């Protein structure tokens, strides 16, 4: 009787599901046709021809970070190459005008655009802010980006859509409803196999709270959630026609999640190496003080405590005879009160380790002062685990410091690698290896250090604006065919 009841319910359920699926397909097809109609009705250019619209989805285009440098360089590159192209930027920076944003790009990055850019100002940017989702942040921001993307699509339907900020969930929206050719530039995968292993191994990190690692149940639940999200992320990413990634580390993760090998390429971000190459390079004069410089925002993942502990260990081991004194200079930006509190905690750590007099904090300093510190430094220090690229590492090498970076991510795979068979810098992993390697660098002769600095300088030309332009144009070419 139960079996007959189930069978009698199954057929109507399947029929109803089929009807609903057909209705959904018809609805989506209708929406697509409506959007295409809007696109055709949009104004043509002066010569009667409609320009090719290339839109970049970059809700925080006025932020002034490395991602924004990529955006403005990409736009300038397209303007140089293609005449009948109008570049559009979807942004949520409604507190600035288009002219102010373009002026800011010139002031911060020295990037002068050739033609005007069309800005589409979005009202719902708050939907992608992490603070709105204290729990299930990845999923919340991703769903928020779909709504923000829908607002962008309704305001302007482009021919080519490029997500330049990592909002992969907007890609199917523009491809299937907007009828656009779609590409993306991935700075950092939203979820990575490393994040999955951190939860699986119950490691406590800045993005995996202690209350989760201490509970097997919470850890299993978070792991299921991460696997579900990774599956969805892979699904939306695989819709891309062109995928650009900023490093070999990001490439490996994107290939394993998106499986888009045929259309994926590494396009190193454009670093302003020329500015730092202006610093003269010469053999160090005998000095009574050496400095170690670290550049990076005061964010948890940059791991400044590791720098301070390694430096304290180095000082402890070096206080013999008439050694030159050492200074650690921590240069970085403070974005908010949490960052300022982080700096205060670092200062307290210096006091506990007895190195307060030897550690200097330089916060939100002007660019010229940053250059001066780099010109005077012997070692450039970097400690972030799995940094996806590492623009700060490139800048230290271009400025002529001997770089000591973390043995992972972009620095390990792309940046601090031998150039023409010569050493360009050093890598370390923990407090002991950092202290030991710093001591080793200081024990080298000034001539040997100069040789390493010169090798490093020659190697960073791979990360110049010109190299970015060449590889970017090669990658996006299929979108323009």
């Amino acid at each position: 009787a139960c079996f007959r009841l189930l069978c009698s319910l199954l057929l109507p359920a399947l029929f109803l599901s089929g009807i609903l699926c057909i209705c959904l397909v018809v609805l989506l097809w209708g929406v697509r046709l409506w959007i295409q109609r809007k696109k055709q009705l949009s104004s043509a250019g002066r010569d009667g021809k409609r320009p090719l619209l290339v839109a970049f989805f970059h809700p925080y285009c006025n932020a002034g970070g490395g991602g924004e440098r990529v955006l403005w360089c990409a736009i300038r590159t397209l303007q140089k190459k293609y005449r009948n192209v109008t570049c559009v930027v979807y942004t949520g920076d409604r507190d600035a005008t288009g002219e102010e944003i373009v002026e800011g790009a010139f002031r911060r990055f020295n990037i002068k655009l050739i033609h005007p850019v069309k800005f589409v100002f979005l009202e719902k940017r708050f939907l992608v802010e992490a603070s709105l989702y204290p729990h299930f942040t990845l999923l919340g921001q991703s769903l928020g980006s779909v709504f923000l993307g829908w607002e962008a699509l309704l305001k302007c339907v482009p021919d080519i859509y490029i997500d330049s900020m990592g909002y992969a969930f907007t890609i199917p929206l523009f491809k299937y409803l907007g009828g656009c050719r779609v590409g993306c530039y991935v700075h950092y995968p939203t979820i990575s196999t490393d994040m999955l292993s951190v939860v699986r191994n119950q490691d406590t990190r800045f993005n995996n709270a202690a209350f989760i690692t201490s509970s097997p149940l919470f850890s299993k639940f978070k792991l299921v959630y991460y696997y579900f999200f990774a599956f969805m992320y892979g699904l939306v990413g695989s819709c891309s026609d062109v995928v650009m990634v900023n490093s070999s580390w990001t490439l490996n993760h994107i290939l394993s999640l998106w499986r888009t090998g045929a259309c994926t390429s590494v396009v190193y971000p454009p670093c302003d190496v020329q500015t730092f190459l202006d610093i003269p390079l010469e053999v160090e004069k005998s000095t009574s003080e050496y400095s170690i410089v670290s550049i990076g925002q005061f964010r948890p993942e940059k791991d400044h405590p590791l720098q301070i502990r390694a430096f304290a260990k180095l000082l402890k081991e070096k206080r013999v005879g008439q050694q030159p004194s050492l200074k650690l200079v921590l240069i970085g930006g403070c974005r908010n009160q949490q960052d300022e509190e982080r700096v205060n905690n670092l200062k307290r750590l210096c006091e506990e380790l007895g190195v307060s007099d030897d550690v200097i904090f330089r916060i939100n300093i002007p660019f010229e002062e940053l250059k001066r510190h780099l010109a005077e430094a012997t070692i450039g220090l970097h400690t972030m685990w799995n940094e996806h690229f590492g623009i700060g590492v490139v800048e230290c090498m271009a400025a002529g410091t001997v770089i000591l970076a973390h043995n992972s991510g972009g620095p390990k795979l792309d940046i601090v690698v031998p150039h023409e068979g010569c050493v360009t810098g050093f890598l370390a992993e923990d407090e002991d290896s950092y202290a030991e390697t710093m001591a080793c660098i200081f024990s080298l002769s000034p001539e040997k250090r100069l040789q390493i600095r010169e090798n490093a300088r020659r190697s960073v030309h791979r990360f110049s604006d010109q190299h970015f332009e060449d590889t970017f144009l090669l990658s996006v070419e299929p979108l323009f065919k």
Side-chain angles (χ1 to χ4, degrees), residues 64-280:
E68 287 65 59
R69 191 165 209 285
V70 170
L71 170 71
W72 301 119
C73 272
I75 290 173
R76 183 180 63 184
T77 303
L78 291 182
Q79 289 180 345
K80 277 187 197 174
K81 168 83 174 175
Y82 298 101
R83 285 191 175 180
N84 191 38
V85 158
T86 296
C87 290
V88 177
V89 177
Y90 297 118
T91 179
D93 293 300
R94 293 188 298 142
D95 55 347
T97 64
E99 291 80 10
E100 286 169 345
I101 292 171
V102 170
E103 173 56 35
F106 177 63
R107 195 176 62 250
R108 289 180 187 126
F109 308 119
N110 197 28
I111 294 170
K112 189 100 176 139
L113 300 180
I114 301 159
H115 304 296
V117 170
K118 181 183 174 185
F119 288 92
V120 175
F121 291 94
L122 307 174
E123 293 169 25
K124 297 184 177 66
R125 188 176 73 179
F126 67 90
L127 291 174
V128 296
E129 286 172 10
S131 55
L132 192 64
Y133 312 100
H135 306 292
F136 301 100
T137 312
L138 293 179
L139 191 60
Q141 284 182 292
S142 298
L143 291 174
S145 74
V146 174
F147 287 102
L148 190 64
W150 177 246
E151 182 194 346
L153 186 58
L154 290 184
K155 287 185 172 177
C156 174
V157 187
D159 299 290
I160 295 169
Y161 171 79
I162 298 173
D163 163 41
S164 52
M165 214 180 156
Y167 293 106
F169 282 74
T170 62
I171 293 168
L173 192 69
F174 279 83
K175 182 168 185 172
Y176 298 115
L177 292 185
C180 312
R181 280 159 279 168
V182 295
C184 58
Y185 187 96
V186 185
H187 299 273
Y188 199 87
T190 306
I191 191 164
S192 66
T193 45
D194 291 325
M195 287 165 73
L196 292 167
S197 65
V198 162
V199 178
R200 197 186 302 113
N201 300 333
Q202 294 181 244
D203 293 343
T204 302
R205 288 187 184 266
F206 71 93
N207 59 354
N208 197 36
F211 81 90
I212 289 174
T213 59
S214 60
S215 164
L217 181 66
F218 280 149
S219 287
K220 280 188 175 61
F221 181 76
K222 186 169 183 177
L223 193 60
V224 169
Y225 159 57
Y226 266 20
Y227 271 113
F228 167 74
F229 185 84
F231 171 74
M232 293 301 293
Y233 183 60
L235 216 57
V236 296
S238 65
C239 300
S240 303
D241 299 315
V242 163
V243 180
M244 293 166 280
V245 296
N246 67 342
S247 70
S248 302
W249 181 85
T250 308
L251 175 74
N252 295 336
H253 285 288
I254 287 298
L255 289 181
S256 70
L257 291 163
W258 291 11
R259 307 190 187 283
T260 50
C263 62
T264 305
S265 54
V266 177
V267 178
Y268 292 130
C271 306
D272 193 10
V273 293
Q274 195 53 52
T275 308
F276 294 98
L277 292 172
D278 295 343
I279 296 170

Side-chain angles (χ1 to χ4, degrees), residues 14-29:
L14 286 171
F15 180 72
L16 190 63
S17 300
I19 293 290
L20 286 172
C21 285
I22 292 166
C23 289
L24 184 63
V25 169
V26 169
L27 177 68
L28 290 174
W29 187 252

